[in-house]
Every structure is written in C-alpha cells, then in structure tokens.
Amino acid sequence: MTEGGKTGPLAGLTVIEMAGIGPVPLAGLILSELGAEVIRVERLNAGIPFLPTPPEFDLDRHGRGVLEIDLKRPEAIELLLRLIGKADILVEGYRPGVMERLGLGPDITFARNPGLIYGRMTGFGQDGPLAARAGHDLTYLAYSGVLHAIGPRDGKPVPPLNLAADYGGGTMFLLLGVLAALFERQKSGKGQVVDAAMVEGASMLAAPFFAFLAAGFWKDRRGVNLLDTGAPFYDTYQTEDGRHVAVACLEPQFFAEFARLLPLEERFAAAQYDRRLWDDMRAAIAARIGERTRDEWATLFEGTDACVAPVLSLEEAPNHPHNRARGTHRQAGTLVRPAPAPRFSRTPAQLSEPGGGRADPAELLARFGIDKSDTEALVMSGVVGNKLTAPIR
C-alpha cells in the first residue's frame, strides 16, 4: 500500500478499523491523527446509526477512508482479506466469535499476514463467564469495583461519563496493546492477538487504589477517603453565583496557601489532616466560598499554588487563557474539539478536518494494489458501496 502523504510518528502504518461505537472509533481517530492510514470498514446498508451525527461532527469517521462492503458476501470477505494482507494492524470491537463467523478470525488473517497485529476490544474479554454479555461503560465499571468508589458519602455511585471504562480502560489500553505488539514485532517478525477488555483496563487504572486499600490507607466506602470527596481540601464547592470551584490542596504547603488566601481559621489551618475537624472544616470552607462568585475566586487564586480552579463547562474550557495559549482545542470546520495529544517535537500529529467530499472506492482500494476494473466489478455486483468517504485530512 502506498502512503497517503500523512505525517506524524505513525506515518507509514496501515490500520483496518472494523466499524463500531465506543472505544474502537476513538482509537481509530487517535491512530489516524498520529499519522497512520486508517481504513474504516462499515457494513453496506447498515441502517440508521445508534447516534446519528452530522458529518462535520462525526469523529467516528474523520481522518479515515470509509469503505462500505456487504459482509454477508464471500467476495467481500475475500476483499477484506486482501486488504488485511497488506495492513499492519486490525482493530475490532465485536462480541467474541463474530469475526470468526465472518471468516475473519485470527487464524485466517494470520495465514494471510503473519505479522498482523490483531486488536480485539470487548467489555469482558475473549473468554470467561461474561464474555458474551452485552454491556456499556457503566456495566464494566461496576464489575471493576471502581464505580462503587465514585460518588458522595451519603449518595449512590455516580457514572464518570463514559471516560473510565470505554475510553480510559478501553481505547487507551487497546492502543497501548497494539503499539506494544507492534514494537515486539520488530524483534520477532510475528504478529499476535491483543485481547483488550474494558473491565480489565478500568481495573488496571485503579491499581493504586487496590494498593491503598491493602495498605490500610483507603476504606472500601465512598466519600470517606482522601481523593473521593472525603477530605474537605479535595472537593468541589458551590460559589455565590451557583457555579463551582475545585479545591485540591493535598500537600501541606499548598493547603497553607489556600488557608491563608481563603482565609481559613487557624484551628483548621494548623490541623489539615485531623479527621476530627473535617466536617467543621468543610462547613467553614463551603460558607466562605459561597460568599463570592466562581470567577472572583478564580482571580484570587490565579498565580498561586493553592490548587484552586474554576470548574469550567465544556463550552468554556476552550476559551480559558491557558488552553488558548497551548492550543488545547482546535477548530475543525465548525467543530471545536480537543487537539491531538500528546505532542511530538519532530513529528507532530495532524488534526483531522471534516469535509473532503465523496470519492470513488477505486481511490482507496488502489492503495492496496487493487486495480480499478476489479473495484468496478465489486461495485457493480453490490459487494462494495458505490461511494466512500474520502480520507479526511
């Protein structure tokens, strides 16, 4: 396959992404913006998606060529095997056994491409009693033990959006796995299967807390520990205007700065870790913070090490001076979104722009050595959709 003129640390890498929702599409976007040539394979005539998104906002497709094929046809499976034969990585997020039933399981794909890195993303893994079960971020977080730990002391567990299992435990561990396997391939010359499970990724993210629990630093209850709103100096507080600030002055020197500027009574300032005072300390902090607006507190604490921050909304965050200075968010057409991360000194990532129009499938398949006449035959027979979304740079 010829390179598509992309730059970035993964330039020259070819990835086949089997279309889905959740962690796999985000992995595809990240790989693409780091320079990989990502081809997203979608089912032909799949119907209305679960979350129909206008193309300019559809990050599940930005940065990729999107190839629609009829996966029920043997000719489509053979076409995919031809593409896989020239790919470095395949990522898929189906339930266990689906790829095998399609004729695209690891045994068959490795026969075509022994160096393929085969990334599999599921909730519970490829085996085990729950492997075939459906679920979502909240499901996997519940089984990991992490959900139990998130929420107020006297309230119910609170979903942390779908950041912890879907994207933290899913996307990021899938990426870690396939890139680690890619590194190993340099030594062995062999591909392998990466079995990434969201419940295991979320569990690994919580590894320090399992250690804290074993050491006696952590109680297996919500809202009574140092980092779960149990400590009054690690919590959010409502301001006079109904908004919030985040107070995170864990270390004594930071707490001393916070207590001086708030100000906080000396009996609290001198006894940060005396748990007997925490309820009264919390009430005192809440009362004081409730006397000013969020932005007034932000101005007061700006430039200090008191570790106090305004709680910004998603709409506000791109306009914060630090985020503007760093270019943390970028404009992609009409979409304001986070910029690719992390940053590289020599091979910067590229933001995927919406647009690019529609193109003939031959444009994409030609990169895999499939000539135009073969593509036209596949289109005429209904194996391949007659249009695809062109790679969006």
Side-chain angles (χ1 to χ4, degrees), residues 98-137:
V98 171
M99 288 290 280
E100 283 80 357
R101 289 193 293 274
L102 288 171
L104 296 169
D107 290 348
I108 293 174
T109 55
F110 287 154
R112 293 291 185 103
N113 183 352
L116 181 70
I117 307 303
Y118 197 116
R120 315 197 79 167
M121 181 80 263
T122 59
F124 296 108
Q126 294 298 310
D127 52 36
L130 297 178
R133 282 269 304 275
H136 290 290
D137 182 285

mmCIF file of all heavy atoms in Angstrom, residues 98-137:
data_model
loop_
_atom_site.group_PDB
_atom_site.id
_atom_site.type_symbol
_atom_site.label_atom_id
_atom_site.label_comp_id
_atom_site.label_asym_id
_atom_site.label_seq_id
_atom_site.Cartn_x
_atom_site.Cartn_y
_atom_site.Cartn_z
ATOM 1 N N VAL A 98 -17.695 -13.172 16.644
ATOM 2 C CA VAL A 98 -18.299 -12.552 15.467
ATOM 3 C C VAL A 98 -17.320 -12.545 14.299
ATOM 4 O O VAL A 98 -17.677 -12.914 13.172
ATOM 5 C CB VAL A 98 -18.792 -11.126 15.786
ATOM 6 C CG1 VAL A 98 -19.210 -10.402 14.507
ATOM 7 C CG2 VAL A 98 -19.956 -11.171 16.773
ATOM 8 N N MET A 99 -16.103 -12.132 14.536
ATOM 9 C CA MET A 99 -15.115 -12.093 13.451
ATOM 10 C C MET A 99 -14.846 -13.496 12.914
ATOM 11 O O MET A 99 -14.674 -13.688 11.697
ATOM 12 C CB MET A 99 -13.829 -11.436 13.922
ATOM 13 C CG MET A 99 -13.937 -9.934 14.117
ATOM 14 S SD MET A 99 -14.107 -8.999 12.574
ATOM 15 C CE MET A 99 -12.407 -8.943 12.012
ATOM 16 N N GLU A 100 -14.837 -14.478 13.785
ATOM 17 C CA GLU A 100 -14.629 -15.858 13.340
ATOM 18 C C GLU A 100 -15.773 -16.304 12.438
ATOM 19 O O GLU A 100 -15.551 -16.957 11.412
ATOM 20 C CB GLU A 100 -14.504 -16.791 14.550
ATOM 21 C CG GLU A 100 -13.155 -16.737 15.267
ATOM 22 C CD GLU A 100 -13.019 -15.551 16.224
ATOM 23 O OE1 GLU A 100 -13.960 -14.717 16.302
ATOM 24 O OE2 GLU A 100 -11.992 -15.445 16.895
ATOM 25 N N ARG A 101 -17.018 -15.950 12.814
ATOM 26 C CA ARG A 101 -18.164 -16.342 11.994
ATOM 27 C C ARG A 101 -18.143 -15.642 10.635
ATOM 28 O O ARG A 101 -18.660 -16.177 9.651
ATOM 29 C CB ARG A 101 -19.470 -16.052 12.739
ATOM 30 C CG ARG A 101 -19.701 -16.987 13.921
ATOM 31 C CD ARG A 101 -21.119 -16.900 14.441
ATOM 32 N NE ARG A 101 -21.432 -15.623 15.055
ATOM 33 C CZ ARG A 101 -21.178 -15.326 16.331
ATOM 34 N NH1 ARG A 101 -20.569 -16.216 17.113
ATOM 35 N NH2 ARG A 101 -21.518 -14.151 16.820
ATOM 36 N N LEU A 102 -17.563 -14.468 10.584
ATOM 37 C CA LEU A 102 -17.444 -13.772 9.303
ATOM 38 C C LEU A 102 -16.358 -14.379 8.418
ATOM 39 O O LEU A 102 -16.296 -14.079 7.223
ATOM 40 C CB LEU A 102 -17.118 -12.287 9.539
ATOM 41 C CG LEU A 102 -18.242 -11.409 10.092
ATOM 42 C CD1 LEU A 102 -17.703 -10.035 10.476
ATOM 43 C CD2 LEU A 102 -19.374 -11.282 9.068
ATOM 44 N N GLY A 103 -15.505 -15.199 9.010
ATOM 45 C CA GLY A 103 -14.360 -15.725 8.268
ATOM 46 C C GLY A 103 -13.159 -14.803 8.339
ATOM 47 O O GLY A 103 -12.273 -14.844 7.473
ATOM 48 N N LEU A 104 -13.103 -13.988 9.407
ATOM 49 C CA LEU A 104 -12.022 -13.023 9.568
ATOM 50 C C LEU A 104 -11.327 -13.168 10.920
ATOM 51 O O LEU A 104 -10.734 -12.212 11.443
ATOM 52 C CB LEU A 104 -12.584 -11.600 9.437
ATOM 53 C CG LEU A 104 -13.167 -11.234 8.073
ATOM 54 C CD1 LEU A 104 -13.937 -9.913 8.157
ATOM 55 C CD2 LEU A 104 -12.069 -11.139 7.021
ATOM 56 N N GLY A 105 -11.393 -14.354 11.495
ATOM 57 C CA GLY A 105 -10.744 -14.595 12.778
ATOM 58 C C GLY A 105 -9.234 -14.601 12.656
ATOM 59 O O GLY A 105 -8.665 -14.628 11.557
ATOM 60 N N PRO A 106 -8.533 -14.608 13.781
ATOM 61 C CA PRO A 106 -7.065 -14.540 13.762
ATOM 62 C C PRO A 106 -6.398 -15.652 12.958
ATOM 63 O O PRO A 106 -5.419 -15.395 12.246
ATOM 64 C CB PRO A 106 -6.695 -14.630 15.245
ATOM 65 C CG PRO A 106 -7.885 -14.062 15.962
ATOM 66 C CD PRO A 106 -9.070 -14.510 15.161
ATOM 67 N N ASP A 107 -6.885 -16.874 13.050
ATOM 68 C CA ASP A 107 -6.226 -17.974 12.326
ATOM 69 C C ASP A 107 -6.199 -17.697 10.824
ATOM 70 O O ASP A 107 -5.172 -17.898 10.159
ATOM 71 C CB ASP A 107 -6.937 -19.294 12.608
ATOM 72 C CG ASP A 107 -6.728 -19.772 14.042
ATOM 73 O OD1 ASP A 107 -5.849 -19.201 14.719
ATOM 74 O OD2 ASP A 107 -7.440 -20.687 14.470
ATOM 75 N N ILE A 108 -7.319 -17.228 10.295
ATOM 76 C CA ILE A 108 -7.400 -16.977 8.850
ATOM 77 C C ILE A 108 -6.586 -15.748 8.470
ATOM 78 O O ILE A 108 -5.853 -15.757 7.470
ATOM 79 C CB ILE A 108 -8.871 -16.806 8.431
ATOM 80 C CG1 ILE A 108 -9.616 -18.140 8.615
ATOM 81 C CG2 ILE A 108 -8.983 -16.319 6.996
ATOM 82 C CD1 ILE A 108 -11.104 -18.052 8.374
ATOM 83 N N THR A 109 -6.678 -14.704 9.270
ATOM 84 C CA THR A 109 -5.945 -13.475 8.920
ATOM 85 C C THR A 109 -4.444 -13.658 9.082
ATOM 86 O O THR A 109 -3.661 -13.126 8.283
ATOM 87 C CB THR A 109 -6.427 -12.285 9.769
ATOM 88 O OG1 THR A 109 -6.314 -12.608 11.159
ATOM 89 C CG2 THR A 109 -7.857 -11.933 9.449
ATOM 90 N N PHE A 110 -4.001 -14.430 10.068
ATOM 91 C CA PHE A 110 -2.567 -14.669 10.224
ATOM 92 C C PHE A 110 -2.011 -15.512 9.080
ATOM 93 O O PHE A 110 -0.844 -15.389 8.717
ATOM 94 C CB PHE A 110 -2.276 -15.347 11.563
ATOM 95 C CG PHE A 110 -2.413 -14.438 12.758
ATOM 96 C CD1 PHE A 110 -2.722 -14.957 14.002
ATOM 97 C CD2 PHE A 110 -2.227 -13.068 12.646
ATOM 98 C CE1 PHE A 110 -2.851 -14.136 15.110
ATOM 99 C CE2 PHE A 110 -2.354 -12.231 13.750
ATOM 100 C CZ PHE A 110 -2.667 -12.765 14.985
ATOM 101 N N ALA A 111 -2.865 -16.366 8.515
ATOM 102 C CA ALA A 111 -2.421 -17.131 7.351
ATOM 103 C C ALA A 111 -2.129 -16.206 6.169
ATOM 104 O O ALA A 111 -1.232 -16.472 5.365
ATOM 105 C CB ALA A 111 -3.473 -18.168 6.965
ATOM 106 N N ARG A 112 -2.887 -15.103 6.075
ATOM 107 C CA ARG A 112 -2.660 -14.116 5.027
ATOM 108 C C ARG A 112 -1.534 -13.147 5.390
ATOM 109 O O ARG A 112 -0.845 -12.637 4.512
ATOM 110 C CB ARG A 112 -3.936 -13.315 4.762
ATOM 111 C CG ARG A 112 -5.076 -14.088 4.160
ATOM 112 C CD ARG A 112 -4.778 -14.505 2.721
ATOM 113 N NE ARG A 112 -5.922 -15.139 2.100
ATOM 114 C CZ ARG A 112 -6.728 -14.542 1.231
ATOM 115 N NH1 ARG A 112 -6.503 -13.279 0.867
ATOM 116 N NH2 ARG A 112 -7.752 -15.189 0.713
ATOM 117 N N ASN A 113 -1.409 -12.857 6.674
ATOM 118 C CA ASN A 113 -0.455 -11.842 7.111
ATOM 119 C C ASN A 113 0.090 -12.231 8.486
ATOM 120 O O ASN A 113 -0.463 -11.834 9.514
ATOM 121 C CB ASN A 113 -1.154 -10.473 7.173
ATOM 122 C CG ASN A 113 -0.219 -9.348 7.542
ATOM 123 O OD1 ASN A 113 0.935 -9.567 7.902
ATOM 124 N ND2 ASN A 113 -0.711 -8.123 7.464
ATOM 125 N N PRO A 114 1.173 -13.005 8.525
ATOM 126 C CA PRO A 114 1.713 -13.479 9.814
ATOM 127 C C PRO A 114 2.168 -12.351 10.732
ATOM 128 O O PRO A 114 2.295 -12.558 11.942
ATOM 129 C CB PRO A 114 2.904 -14.344 9.391
ATOM 130 C CG PRO A 114 2.641 -14.711 7.978
ATOM 131 C CD PRO A 114 1.921 -13.548 7.380
ATOM 132 N N GLY A 115 2.409 -11.172 10.184
ATOM 133 C CA GLY A 115 2.868 -10.054 11.008
ATOM 134 C C GLY A 115 1.759 -9.152 11.490
ATOM 135 O O GLY A 115 2.018 -8.116 12.117
ATOM 136 N N LEU A 116 0.500 -9.518 11.247
ATOM 137 C CA LEU A 116 -0.623 -8.664 11.616
ATOM 138 C C LEU A 116 -0.755 -8.544 13.134
ATOM 139 O O LEU A 116 -0.676 -9.529 13.857
ATOM 140 C CB LEU A 116 -1.925 -9.244 11.052
ATOM 141 C CG LEU A 116 -3.199 -8.445 11.334
ATOM 142 C CD1 LEU A 116 -3.215 -7.136 10.553
ATOM 143 C CD2 LEU A 116 -4.440 -9.282 11.005
ATOM 144 N N ILE A 117 -0.983 -7.319 13.599
ATOM 145 C CA ILE A 117 -1.353 -7.092 14.998
ATOM 146 C C ILE A 117 -2.875 -6.995 15.043
ATOM 147 O O ILE A 117 -3.474 -6.113 14.442
ATOM 148 C CB ILE A 117 -0.725 -5.796 15.540
ATOM 149 C CG1 ILE A 117 0.790 -5.772 15.310
ATOM 150 C CG2 ILE A 117 -1.067 -5.632 17.018
ATOM 151 C CD1 ILE A 117 1.539 -6.933 15.914
ATOM 152 N N TYR A 118 -3.496 -7.931 15.741
ATOM 153 C CA TYR A 118 -4.947 -8.113 15.729
ATOM 154 C C TYR A 118 -5.507 -7.634 17.073
ATOM 155 O O TYR A 118 -5.476 -8.349 18.067
ATOM 156 C CB TYR A 118 -5.246 -9.596 15.508
ATOM 157 C CG TYR A 118 -6.646 -9.947 15.065
ATOM 158 C CD1 TYR A 118 -6.874 -10.533 13.826
ATOM 159 C CD2 TYR A 118 -7.736 -9.741 15.887
ATOM 160 C CE1 TYR A 118 -8.149 -10.906 13.417
ATOM 161 C CE2 TYR A 118 -9.017 -10.096 15.497
ATOM 162 C CZ TYR A 118 -9.214 -10.670 14.255
ATOM 163 O OH TYR A 118 -10.480 -11.027 13.854
ATOM 164 N N GLY A 119 -6.015 -6.394 17.092
ATOM 165 C CA GLY A 119 -6.513 -5.814 18.331
ATOM 166 C C GLY A 119 -7.993 -6.073 18.525
ATOM 167 O O GLY A 119 -8.809 -5.680 17.694
ATOM 168 N N ARG A 120 -8.331 -6.707 19.634
ATOM 169 C CA ARG A 120 -9.718 -7.065 19.932
ATOM 170 C C ARG A 120 -10.180 -6.305 21.177
ATOM 171 O O ARG A 120 -9.577 -6.413 22.249
ATOM 172 C CB ARG A 120 -9.855 -8.568 20.148
ATOM 173 C CG ARG A 120 -9.115 -9.410 19.118
ATOM 174 C CD ARG A 120 -9.574 -10.846 19.082
ATOM 175 N NE ARG A 120 -10.829 -10.966 18.337
ATOM 176 C CZ ARG A 120 -11.343 -12.134 17.936
ATOM 177 N NH1 ARG A 120 -10.717 -13.274 18.217
ATOM 178 N NH2 ARG A 120 -12.478 -12.168 17.267
ATOM 179 N N MET A 121 -11.266 -5.548 21.025
ATOM 180 C CA MET A 121 -11.779 -4.708 22.102
ATOM 181 C C MET A 121 -13.162 -5.194 22.507
ATOM 182 O O MET A 121 -14.106 -5.182 21.714
ATOM 183 C CB MET A 121 -11.872 -3.266 21.606
ATOM 184 C CG MET A 121 -12.371 -2.255 22.634
ATOM 185 S SD MET A 121 -11.081 -1.756 23.785
ATOM 186 C CE MET A 121 -11.421 -2.833 25.193
ATOM 187 N N THR A 122 -13.286 -5.653 23.742
ATOM 188 C CA THR A 122 -14.578 -6.089 24.275
ATOM 189 C C THR A 122 -14.738 -5.559 25.691
ATOM 190 O O THR A 122 -13.816 -4.979 26.267
ATOM 191 C CB THR A 122 -14.693 -7.625 24.305
ATOM 192 O OG1 THR A 122 -13.630 -8.151 25.118
ATOM 193 C CG2 THR A 122 -14.613 -8.219 22.913
ATOM 194 N N GLY A 123 -15.915 -5.793 26.256
ATOM 195 C CA GLY A 123 -16.139 -5.397 27.632
ATOM 196 C C GLY A 123 -15.496 -6.339 28.626
ATOM 197 O O GLY A 123 -14.860 -5.909 29.591
ATOM 198 N N PHE A 124 -15.641 -7.643 28.383
ATOM 199 C CA PHE A 124 -15.224 -8.637 29.359
ATOM 200 C C PHE A 124 -14.074 -9.522 28.891
ATOM 201 O O PHE A 124 -13.636 -10.398 29.638
ATOM 202 C CB PHE A 124 -16.415 -9.540 29.712
ATOM 203 C CG PHE A 124 -17.546 -8.814 30.387
ATOM 204 C CD1 PHE A 124 -18.736 -8.570 29.724
ATOM 205 C CD2 PHE A 124 -17.419 -8.361 31.695
ATOM 206 C CE1 PHE A 124 -19.785 -7.912 30.347
ATOM 207 C CE2 PHE A 124 -18.460 -7.703 32.325
ATOM 208 C CZ PHE A 124 -19.649 -7.468 31.653
ATOM 209 N N GLY A 125 -13.589 -9.338 27.673
ATOM 210 C CA GLY A 125 -12.516 -10.183 27.170
ATOM 211 C C GLY A 125 -13.045 -11.274 26.260
ATOM 212 O O GLY A 125 -14.249 -11.442 26.074
ATOM 213 N N GLN A 126 -12.134 -12.023 25.693
ATOM 214 C CA GLN A 126 -12.481 -13.044 24.707
ATOM 215 C C GLN A 126 -12.988 -14.337 25.327
ATOM 216 O O GLN A 126 -13.510 -15.207 24.627
ATOM 217 C CB GLN A 126 -11.263 -13.337 23.815
ATOM 218 C CG GLN A 126 -10.859 -12.165 22.935
ATOM 219 C CD GLN A 126 -11.943 -11.765 21.954
ATOM 220 O OE1 GLN A 126 -12.488 -12.603 21.238
ATOM 221 N NE2 GLN A 126 -12.275 -10.477 21.920
ATOM 222 N N ASP A 127 -12.833 -14.516 26.621
ATOM 223 C CA ASP A 127 -13.340 -15.727 27.278
ATOM 224 C C ASP A 127 -13.800 -15.375 28.688
ATOM 225 O O ASP A 127 -13.726 -14.227 29.101
ATOM 226 C CB ASP A 127 -12.269 -16.835 27.293
ATOM 227 C CG ASP A 127 -10.945 -16.362 27.864
ATOM 228 O OD1 ASP A 127 -10.951 -15.543 28.802
ATOM 229 O OD2 ASP A 127 -9.893 -16.796 27.353
ATOM 230 N N GLY A 128 -14.269 -16.369 29.415
ATOM 231 C CA GLY A 128 -14.789 -16.144 30.752
ATOM 232 C C GLY A 128 -16.309 -16.153 30.758
ATOM 233 O O GLY A 128 -16.953 -16.042 29.714
ATOM 234 N N PRO A 129 -16.916 -16.313 31.945
ATOM 235 C CA PRO A 129 -18.377 -16.459 32.047
ATOM 236 C C PRO A 129 -19.182 -15.307 31.460
ATOM 237 O O PRO A 129 -20.313 -15.505 31.017
ATOM 238 C CB PRO A 129 -18.607 -16.567 33.562
ATOM 239 C CG PRO A 129 -17.310 -17.006 34.132
ATOM 240 C CD PRO A 129 -16.250 -16.432 33.249
ATOM 241 N N LEU A 130 -18.632 -14.105 31.459
ATOM 242 C CA LEU A 130 -19.392 -12.945 30.986
ATOM 243 C C LEU A 130 -18.999 -12.513 29.572
ATOM 244 O O LEU A 130 -19.492 -11.497 29.076
ATOM 245 C CB LEU A 130 -19.187 -11.757 31.934
ATOM 246 C CG LEU A 130 -19.679 -11.930 33.375
ATOM 247 C CD1 LEU A 130 -19.366 -10.686 34.193
ATOM 248 C CD2 LEU A 130 -21.173 -12.221 33.409
ATOM 249 N N ALA A 131 -18.132 -13.267 28.919
ATOM 250 C CA ALA A 131 -17.564 -12.823 27.645
ATOM 251 C C ALA A 131 -18.630 -12.478 26.603
ATOM 252 O O ALA A 131 -18.458 -11.540 25.827
ATOM 253 C CB ALA A 131 -16.617 -13.885 27.092
ATOM 254 N N ALA A 132 -19.719 -13.210 26.568
ATOM 255 C CA ALA A 132 -20.737 -12.997 25.534
ATOM 256 C C ALA A 132 -21.776 -11.954 25.927
ATOM 257 O O ALA A 132 -22.655 -11.629 25.128
ATOM 258 C CB ALA A 132 -21.441 -14.320 25.214
ATOM 259 N N ARG A 133 -21.681 -11.430 27.148
ATOM 260 C CA ARG A 133 -22.687 -10.491 27.641
ATOM 261 C C ARG A 133 -22.543 -9.120 27.007
ATOM 262 O O ARG A 133 -21.440 -8.627 26.783
ATOM 263 C CB ARG A 133 -22.566 -10.349 29.160
ATOM 264 C CG ARG A 133 -23.168 -11.481 29.959
ATOM 265 C CD ARG A 133 -24.612 -11.224 30.327
ATOM 266 N NE ARG A 133 -24.790 -9.971 31.055
ATOM 267 C CZ ARG A 133 -24.645 -9.845 32.370
ATOM 268 N NH1 ARG A 133 -24.295 -10.891 33.107
ATOM 269 N NH2 ARG A 133 -24.836 -8.683 32.940
ATOM 270 N N ALA A 134 -23.682 -8.453 26.786
ATOM 271 C CA ALA A 134 -23.665 -7.057 26.359
ATOM 272 C C ALA A 134 -23.394 -6.167 27.566
ATOM 273 O O ALA A 134 -23.592 -6.564 28.722
ATOM 274 C CB ALA A 134 -24.999 -6.690 25.726
ATOM 275 N N GLY A 135 -22.959 -4.956 27.293
ATOM 276 C CA GLY A 135 -22.715 -4.005 28.369
ATOM 277 C C GLY A 135 -22.262 -2.677 27.817
ATOM 278 O O GLY A 135 -22.069 -2.515 26.608
ATOM 279 N N HIS A 136 -22.093 -1.730 28.725
ATOM 280 C CA HIS A 136 -21.563 -0.415 28.376
ATOM 281 C C HIS A 136 -20.608 0.007 29.474
ATOM 282 O O HIS A 136 -20.395 -0.726 30.444
ATOM 283 C CB HIS A 136 -22.690 0.594 28.188
ATOM 284 C CG HIS A 136 -23.506 0.355 26.954
ATOM 285 N ND1 HIS A 136 -23.009 0.560 25.695
ATOM 286 C CD2 HIS A 136 -24.772 -0.103 26.794
ATOM 287 C CE1 HIS A 136 -23.920 0.256 24.801
ATOM 288 N NE2 HIS A 136 -25.004 -0.159 25.434
ATOM 289 N N ASP A 137 -20.057 1.195 29.314
ATOM 290 C CA ASP A 137 -19.064 1.687 30.269
ATOM 291 C C ASP A 137 -19.487 1.445 31.711
ATOM 292 O O ASP A 137 -18.715 0.938 32.528
ATOM 293 C CB ASP A 137 -18.842 3.183 30.019
ATOM 294 C CG ASP A 137 -17.791 3.803 30.920
ATOM 295 O OD1 ASP A 137 -18.092 4.029 32.107
ATOM 296 O OD2 ASP A 137 -16.688 4.075 30.447
#
